[in-house]
């Protein structure tokens, strides 16, 4: 279903790509994972598919729900690539705190404004790591009686989900390393990078 892009891993034999200037001098940023032009091309094609598929299903506006804060840049770019009638809402959940390992404990920090009942809902996520946040979110949102509930995740970490995360749309499969940039942070830093790279403090 999805046009998967498998990003080169070091184990795959491709040479590691350097982090672009001016961020390349930061000693904690290690390898480029997804470049800016790769993000743009994939986000554009996701927007086209989402629009075409929604248009063929319903004349009602699609409701895109971004999971903050990580999905804020992805949502902003995806919004401009969607051409069907669409509305936006935002939800903030916290699963990590300041650590770089999932806790499995999800807390709603900001809930949606919209009533989901009878709506076609597309959840827009930054990254599926263990998949715990997403499976919790799916259960929580299904309980609000949407007409449909699908997920668009920009990144999926390879081999880390115990269950199939069941994503209608996905951008990139990436190695199971901790990454930052394009909305993703470590301790609130690096969300502004226009690309995605690994974070490896030395
Ligand atoms: P999961 O519950 O393990 O799938 O983790 C999901 C959430 O953890 C994501 O929505 C992110 O907010 C955060 N997260 C997971 N991996 C990373 C990463 O590599 N960098 C930054 N945040 C991450
Ligand atoms: Mg997130």
């Amino acid at each position: 279903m999805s046009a998967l892009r498998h990003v080169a891993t070091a184990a795959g034999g491709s040479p590691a790509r350097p982090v672009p200037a001016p961020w390349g001098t930061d000693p904690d940023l290690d390898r480029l994972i997804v470049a800016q032009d790769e993000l743009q091309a994939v986000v554009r094609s996701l927007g086209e598919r989402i629009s075409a598929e929604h248009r063929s299903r319903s004349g009602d506006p699609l409701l895109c729900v971004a999971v903050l804060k990580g999905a804020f840049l992805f949502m902003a770019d995806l919004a401009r690539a969607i051409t069907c009638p669409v509305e936006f809402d935002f939800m903030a959940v916290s699963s990590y705190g300041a650590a770089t390992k999932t806790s499995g404990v999800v807390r709603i920090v900001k809930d949606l404004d919209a009533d989901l009942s009878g709506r076609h809902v597309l959840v827009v996520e930054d990254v599926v790591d263990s998949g715990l946040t997403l499976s919790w979110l799916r259960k929580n949102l299904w309980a609000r009686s949407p007409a449909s509930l699908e997920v668009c995740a920009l990144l999926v970490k390879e081999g880390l989900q115990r269950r199939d995360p069941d994503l209608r749309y996905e951008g990139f499969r990436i190695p199971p390393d901790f990454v930052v940039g394009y909305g993703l942070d470590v301790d609130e830093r690096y969300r502004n990078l226009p690309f995605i790279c690994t974070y490896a403090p030395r």
Side-chain angles (χ1 to χ4, degrees):
M1 194 75 207
S2 56
L4 291 188
R5 321 285 151 130
H6 291 263
V7 172
T9 64
S14 322
R17 298 186 293 173
V19 172
W23 297 277
T25 54
D26 184 325
D28 295 341
L29 301 179
D30 192 30
R31 313 188 313 280
L32 180 67
I33 297 292
V34 190
Q36 190 168 4
D37 60 333
E38 294 165 346
L39 284 167
Q40 280 163 1
V42 167
V43 172
R44 199 172 316 119
S45 82
L46 285 172
E48 283 165 9
R49 272 188 55 214
I50 290 166
S51 308
E53 290 176 16
H54 181 68
R55 214 182 265 113
S56 70
R57 166 179 61 189
S58 168
D60 297 336
L62 177 67
L63 179 62
C64 285
V65 166
V67 185
L68 295 173
K69 300 176 192 171
F72 85 111
L73 288 185
F74 180 35
M75 178 75 138
D77 286 341
L78 189 62
R80 284 172 280 190
I82 291 178
T83 54
C84 63
V86 62
E87 295 172 12
F88 300 96
D89 204 352
F90 299 88
M91 184 169 183
V93 302
S94 160
S95 54
Y96 263 24
T100 59
K101 280 263 148 36
T102 191
S103 64
V105 178
V106 179
R107 187 168 61 89
I108 295 182
V109 178
K110 181 224 172 285
D111 207 346
L112 298 171
D113 296 327
D115 177 357
L116 300 192
S117 75
R119 301 294 309 265
H120 292 286
V121 176
L122 180 69
V123 175
V124 177
E125 254 285 30
D126 52 0
V127 55
V128 179
D129 185 356
S130 68
L132 288 172
T133 306
L134 189 58
S135 78
W136 179 90
L137 203 60
R138 230 188 256 281
K139 220 175 284 163
N140 183 287
L141 298 181
W142 266 125
R144 307 182 195 199
S145 310
S148 68
L149 182 67
E150 289 170 342
V151 179
C152 175
L154 180 66
L155 307 174
V156 182
K157 292 203 194 168
E158 303 229 80
L160 291 189
Q161 300 88 40
R162 265 174 289 164
R163 261 177 292 150
D164 178 2
D166 188 21
L167 306 169
R168 172 94 184 194
Y169 306 99
E170 55 181 83
F172 300 87
R173 296 239 160 169
I174 63 168
D177 301 315
F178 197 83
V179 293
V180 294
Y182 200 64
L184 292 151
D185 72 310
V186 59
D187 238 348
E188 298 304 326
R189 285 192 62 203
Y190 301 118
R191 292 194 196 274
N192 59 317
L193 304 185
F195 51 81
I196 291 165
C197 65
T198 57
Y199 172 78
R202 300 158 220 242

